[in-house]
Amino acid sequence: MKLNAGQLLLAGAISELCAALPHQDSPQQRLAKGLELTGRFAKSDPYAPGYRDPYDHAVDAIGKKLDPLPWRNGHGASVLGPYNRDRSRQSPDMIRPPSTDHGNIPNMRWSYTDSHVRIEEGGWTRQTTVRELGTSIELAGVNMRLDKGVIRELHWHKEAEWAYVLAGEVRVTALDYDGGNFIDDLKQGDLWYFPSGVPHSLQGLGENGTEFLLIFDDGSFSEESTFILTDWLAHTPKSVVAKNFQLAPEVFAHLPAGEKYIFQGSNPGSIEEERPNGKYVKKSTYQFTHKMLDQAPKQTSGGLVRITDSTNFPISKTVAAAHVIIEPGALREMHWHPTADEWSFFIKGRARVTIFAAEGNARTFDYLPGDVGIVPKNMGHFVENIGDEPIEMLEVFRADKFRDFSLFQWMGETPQRLVVDHLFPGDKENGDKFWQTVKDAKKDEVKQPGDIAGKEGQEGAEL
């Protein structure tokens, strides 16, 4: 029977619709039925029963649009129950951990997406403390946004405050211990540090204001416990306020009834226009700010490292930090920190981190932009770039100085006989190869694996 034009169009539409529907023999349908994958799926999908990878290479589930499943070297099974695709892609090493993971290690990852947002006039704030992430014991973090002209009102904390500007511009003001005033304008990549009790304020500048990360030197910190100017005055008798400022009580009749916290302010002029000029006013002799990204970076084989601590930012006595760039395929080398927990914040890229906690315990976590990672002091770890763009991250510590130990350097500065006896007993050939690599003992914080590691990555999977 010959079809007319309308019938042909209808047949084509039905055919196209059928092609968009799940096939009965699709990988997901076959796994749901308990059947093995066949053809190209069994050969190329790292989350298939037939895939073999004895070296536990990283898989970029997001970049490759893969759905992680708990299959590893032929062991495991499909998922028949509820499946959160986005979460699974974000944490592929939770769904299919490396074979080297073992034992019980508490959670070391938190996403700011899961933090409650407090929304205010022209801004917002959200925090990651020991309440959100139980392993965040030494430090707490607050992510804050202030639009153009918006003010984080005059306040102080019992904890010291360290901050990194993520975007935009911000004006900071403070009063030091000697009664000197401090004002500075900061941009992306700049820092500030206010010791315990130092009163200060923040205001968004430019067309888009600012966003920044605040770090406090106590994991139990809460933004709700801040000492705020308007909150204090609202809970002080008006007669006392009047007596303190030597004015009639009526002057203070319209003081705010409570804290303002974050609110829209008027746009400021230049620092010189705004600077107080009273008879007893003086400038601070302290430097509360630092331009971290203006530091000359240490060039490594796989990225860049900038370290800011009390040696180049003297006032920062309780917080030290490193700004690290890790190129695609590169590795923040295997290392540990002897004096403080690492509180990491991931700004860009996709990372895999395995934490070694001794006693045979190790666990692997995956991190995305906006995630926080914890590594307790002395626990060995690395940061591997598993994506197609550079990782930009902050390593932050409750310490006056940044300190780490490099596994690579340690091996090179240990007698060759001792190293070979430990790692290559009865295997002189490979022991000599290893020694030739580490003997010069050059510390390389971000390591580019090079061609050999790349070839191993291609050959590591048995299809």
Side-chain angles (χ1 to χ4, degrees):
M1 183 179 71
K2 191 172 182 180
L3 300 176
N4 59 37
Q7 290 172 320
L8 286 171
L9 283 172
L10 178 60
I14 292 172
S15 174
E16 189 174 327
L17 177 62
C18 290
L21 294 173
H23 293 287
Q24 293 301 309
D25 201 38
S26 70
Q28 188 171 357
Q29 291 283 342
R30 290 186 65 84
L31 290 173
K33 293 175 182 178
L35 301 174
E36 290 189 3
L37 295 180
T38 59
R40 65 184 181 88
F41 297 106
K43 292 182 179 179
S44 61
D45 187 347
Y47 300 112
Y51 192 84
R52 301 291 185 271
D53 178 10
Y55 300 122
D56 293 311
H57 290 95
V59 178
D60 180 10
I62 292 177
K64 298 182 183 300
K65 295 182 171 60
L66 298 172
D67 294 334
L69 290 169
W71 288 108
R72 186 180 64 215
N73 296 332
H75 296 288
S78 60
V79 176
L80 300 180
Y83 183 83
N84 187 322
R85 173 178 290 179
D86 292 337
R87 282 294 197 195
S88 298
R89 286 180 175 176
Q90 291 170 11
S91 296
D93 288 290
M94 284 291 182
I95 307 300
R96 198 273 305 277
S99 60
T100 48
D101 277 14
H102 180 263
N104 291 320
I105 289 182
N107 181 41
M108 303 285 184
R109 174 188 175 272
W110 181 264
S111 172
Y112 264 106
T113 302
D114 295 324
S115 292
H116 176 266
V117 176
R118 174 176 174 174
I119 299 176
E120 298 286 336
E121 180 187 5
W124 51 259
T125 182
R126 53 187 178 177
Q127 57 188 2
T128 298
T129 71
V130 72
R131 291 172 293 280
E132 288 79 23
L133 179 58
T135 49
S136 184
I137 297 169
E138 294 192 345
L139 297 172
V142 173
N143 181 203
M144 187 174 289
R145 171 84 165 92
L146 303 176
D147 212 343
K148 178 182 179 181
V150 173
I151 296 170
R152 171 66 172 97
E153 76 159 293
L154 293 156
H155 66 284
W156 72 97
H157 312 276
K158 63 182 180 182
E159 302 86 0
E161 175 182 301
W162 181 98
Y164 179 90
V165 182
L166 295 167
E169 300 173 69
V170 59
R171 174 165 296 175
V172 300
T173 74
L175 183 72
D176 68 26
Y177 292 128
D178 301 320
N181 73 80
F182 179 88
I183 308 176
D184 200 4
D185 290 344
L186 305 180
K187 64 182 187 310
Q188 181 177 346
D190 292 346
L191 311 177
W192 69 79
Y193 179 91
F194 297 125
S196 171
V198 168
H200 56 281
S201 72
L202 315 166
Q203 184 171 21
L205 302 177
E207 287 305 309
N208 293 314
T210 184
E211 184 173 339
F212 44 82
L213 177 72
L214 301 168
I215 299 292
F216 298 91
D217 58 2
D218 184 348
S220 299
F221 170 83
S222 172
E223 267 290 277
E224 311 303 323
S225 65
T226 299
F227 296 95
I228 296 177
L229 173 63
T230 53
D231 190 32
W232 186 16
L233 295 181
H235 293 88
T236 301
K238 292 268 192 317
S239 61
V240 173
V241 174
K243 186 178 292 186
N244 186 78
F245 291 103
Q246 299 180 329
L247 289 168
E250 295 77 23
V251 173
F252 303 100
H254 299 292
L255 282 178
E259 66 175 28
K260 299 186 75 172
Y261 192 72
I262 292 174
F263 64 96
Q264 182 66 57
S266 55
N267 293 326
S270 69
I271 290 178
E272 289 309 313
E273 290 172 333
E274 298 270 317
R275 192 180 298 282
N277 57 8
K279 183 186 299 185
Y280 301 106
V281 166
K282 60 181 180 181
K283 286 186 181 181
S284 175
T285 58
Y286 293 83
Q287 184 60 41
F288 292 107
T289 58
H290 178 80
K291 301 191 179 302
M292 189 180 203
L293 291 192
D294 287 352
Q295 292 178 211
K298 178 178 180 180
Q299 300 272 351
T300 67
S301 66
L304 304 172
V305 178
R306 294 175 173 88
I307 294 172
T308 302
D309 58 19
S310 61
T311 59
N312 55 359
F313 188 23
I315 200 166
S316 188
K317 300 295 187 186
T318 63
V319 179
H323 179 276
V324 183
I325 300 292
I326 307 172
E327 295 297 333
L331 185 78
R332 171 71 171 95
E333 67 170 349
M334 297 173 72
H335 66 285
W336 69 95
H337 302 280
T339 60
D341 295 355
E342 177 178 328
W343 197 100
S344 301
F345 182 73
F346 291 83
I347 301 172
K348 294 179 182 177
R350 300 189 287 278
R352 169 169 88 152
V353 178
T354 295
I355 299 170
F356 169 63
E359 299 181 329
N361 293 317
R363 181 162 294 180
T364 302
F365 300 88
D366 301 280
Y367 298 92
L368 297 171
D371 285 355
V372 173
I374 303 293
V375 182
K377 64 174 71 70
N378 287 307
M379 290 192 183
H381 59 287
F382 61 82
V383 182
E384 181 180 15
N385 188 333
I386 65 173
D388 55 5
E389 64 175 334
I391 287 172
E392 180 182 1
M393 63 177 292
L394 294 169
E395 299 178 11
V396 190
F397 306 87
R398 190 174 72 183
D400 63 334
K401 293 182 180 178
F402 177 94
R403 289 187 173 92
D404 68 352
F405 281 107
S406 160
L407 175 61
F408 190 88
Q409 185 179 35
W410 183 31
M411 294 296 93
E413 298 199 17
T414 301
Q416 178 181 1
R417 175 196 54 80
L418 200 54
V419 171
V420 173
D421 281 354
H422 271 73
L423 304 180
F424 299 93
D427 190 357
K428 184 177 185 307
E429 180 182 353
N430 285 315
D432 288 343
K433 286 181 182 178
F434 182 83
W435 182 253
Q436 289 304 312
T437 300
V438 302
K439 69 176 184 178
D440 290 333
K442 180 183 178 183
K443 189 173 183 179
D444 190 21
E445 289 90 343
V446 183
K447 198 177 301 293
Q448 185 59 257
D451 293 337
I452 293 177
K455 290 177 182 176
E456 287 177 351
Q458 294 295 319
E459 298 167 358
E462 298 177 15
L463 304 179

